[in-house]
Amino acid sequence: MKRYRERMHTAPAAVHHSRNEKSFGPSREMWQTIRMFLNKTTFELGILGIICGAAVVIVVRHPYFQITDIRIEGLDTYASEIARTSIDEVRNSPLYGLPRNNYVLLQVGAIEKLLQSRTVLDSVELVKRFPHTLVVRAAEREVAFVVVSPNGVAYIADDGTLVRWYQSDEQTDFGRYTVIRVAEKIQNHGLRESILDRETVARMNVIAGHASSLRRGSLGHISIESESETVTLQFVGGVAVVLRLDADIEVQMQKARLSSVKFPAAKKIDVRFADKVFVTF
């Protein structure tokens, strides 16, 4: 009994926990676990962000991913130069302070918009090829005639709308196109503006198609006098054929063909009148 009492006196004092401490104990442990998880996840996300940021910087800044190989298909020299100028403008313009001249940030939509505003295209396709190639496939609207006026030169399509415009002092190459000369200045010479009405262009096609049957050499140009509705075909060999634009083109060209055979030395054949042909030597 004596020993039991001694042990009781020497035993450590019991620790008493309040009722609140007992109830919040599991919650505290759970919150500590969540904090440990959040700290670990934040750290991992931070590392991942650093890796992604470094990758973006490499792709945006590294020369390997810069667009240096530009291929233009389907356009001639004139239109290709416009395309290259448009591409360079987009490449050299920054986007949010970053250079666009890389595979990720180069916007083909902006390039296409510039091309459509500066050239008349029937089709256009821009393709980026990883890591540094841009391919442009385009087809410019076909030119039917070249209209020469006092203030410039207009390349028009078969519907009479403008495809290209050159100032009078610019160098032009008519090439294989039939040239139409007009006395009036062309006031509206924006792309896709109407230069000649569709009916006039259709008549020009008929005239140009029949010109070779006269066998007087190649056709130099066609002159149109709008006020008198008169059209003059000037051949390189020197002969001129005059007809009316508002009369039957087929009949007039048939008369010119017969007169050209009958009078090979003629310098001017005027078939504007219904039952008469005036020939000048």
Side-chain angles (χ1 to χ4, degrees):
M1 191 68 179
K2 184 178 179 179
R3 291 179 180 175
Y4 174 76
R5 289 174 181 171
E6 290 177 353
R7 284 198 296 269
M8 288 293 291
H9 285 293
T10 59
V15 178
H16 297 281
H17 295 281
S18 66
R19 189 172 296 178
N20 289 336
E21 289 177 344
K22 291 181 180 179
S23 61
F24 286 109
S27 299
R28 185 176 300 170
E29 292 177 358
M30 182 179 295
W31 174 243
Q32 290 177 350
T33 303
I34 292 174
R35 287 182 62 185
M36 290 176 60
F37 174 77
L38 289 176
N39 290 336
K40 182 179 179 182
T41 303
T42 304
F43 176 76
E44 292 175 347
L45 290 175
I47 296 297
L48 181 62
I50 293 173
I51 294 174
C52 292
V56 170
V57 171
I58 290 173
V59 172
V60 171
R61 296 289 185 180
H62 199 280
Y64 182 72
F65 301 100
Q66 304 299 303
I67 300 296
T68 55
D69 184 14
I70 299 174
R71 306 174 188 177
I72 300 176
E73 303 172 358
L75 299 178
D76 63 7
T77 304
Y78 173 86
S80 294
E81 188 62 31
I82 294 177
R84 289 190 181 278
T85 301
S86 302
I87 293 171
D88 289 341
E89 286 185 19
V90 176
R91 290 168 62 197
N92 295 330
S93 61
L95 180 65
Y96 303 116
L98 297 174
R100 290 197 195 189
N101 186 30
N102 63 80
Y103 181 82
V104 175
L105 296 182
L106 185 67
Q107 296 178 321
V108 295
I111 297 174
E112 181 177 344
K113 186 177 180 180
L114 276 180
L115 284 176
Q116 293 284 14
S117 66
R118 296 173 176 177
T119 53
V120 181
L121 302 175
D122 283 334
S123 64
V124 59
E125 179 186 17
L126 290 91
V127 179
K128 290 191 295 185
R129 291 180 181 173
F130 188 82
H132 46 239
T133 301
L134 175 66
V135 180
V136 179
R137 301 187 184 96
E140 191 178 21
R141 185 164 299 174
E142 187 175 355
V143 175
F145 294 97
V146 175
V147 181
V148 179
S149 72
N151 65 323
V153 178
Y155 285 60
I156 64 172
D158 57 2
D159 60 353
T161 57
L162 184 68
V163 177
R164 294 183 184 178
W165 171 258
Y166 295 89
Q167 298 293 338
S168 55
D169 57 348
E170 290 186 87
Q171 185 68 30
T172 55
D173 181 14
F174 300 152
R176 57 185 176 85
Y177 304 118
T178 301
V179 177
I180 301 174
R181 295 187 180 274
V182 295
E184 302 82 8
K185 291 183 178 181
I186 297 176
Q187 301 300 330
N188 298 323
H189 44 77
L191 293 181
R192 301 177 183 84
E193 291 283 353
S194 180
I195 304 300
L196 296 176
D197 61 85
R198 190 184 295 268
E199 184 178 355
T200 300
V201 176
R203 289 177 178 271
M204 291 297 105
N205 273 315
V206 175
I207 292 171
H210 283 284
S212 60
S213 64
L214 297 180
R215 303 185 183 277
R216 301 303 296 265
S218 60
L219 179 62
H221 64 267
I222 302 174
S223 296
I224 300 178
E225 296 179 14
S226 301
E227 293 183 1
S228 60
E229 294 289 337
T230 299
V231 178
T232 301
L233 283 67
Q234 186 65 54
F235 289 85
V236 176
V239 66
V241 176
V242 184
L243 61 153
R244 288 192 62 82
L245 192 60
D246 57 351
D248 192 313
I249 301 296
E250 298 280 352
V251 173
Q252 292 180 92
M253 291 303 294
Q254 177 66 20
K255 290 164 60 179
R257 184 164 48 251
L258 294 175
S259 300
S260 178
V261 173
K262 186 175 181 179
F263 307 106
K267 294 300 182 181
K268 182 179 179 181
I269 302 173
D270 191 339
V271 295
R272 287 178 292 173
F273 307 96
D275 57 347
K276 294 179 181 180
V277 176
F278 293 90
V279 180
T280 303
F281 295 93

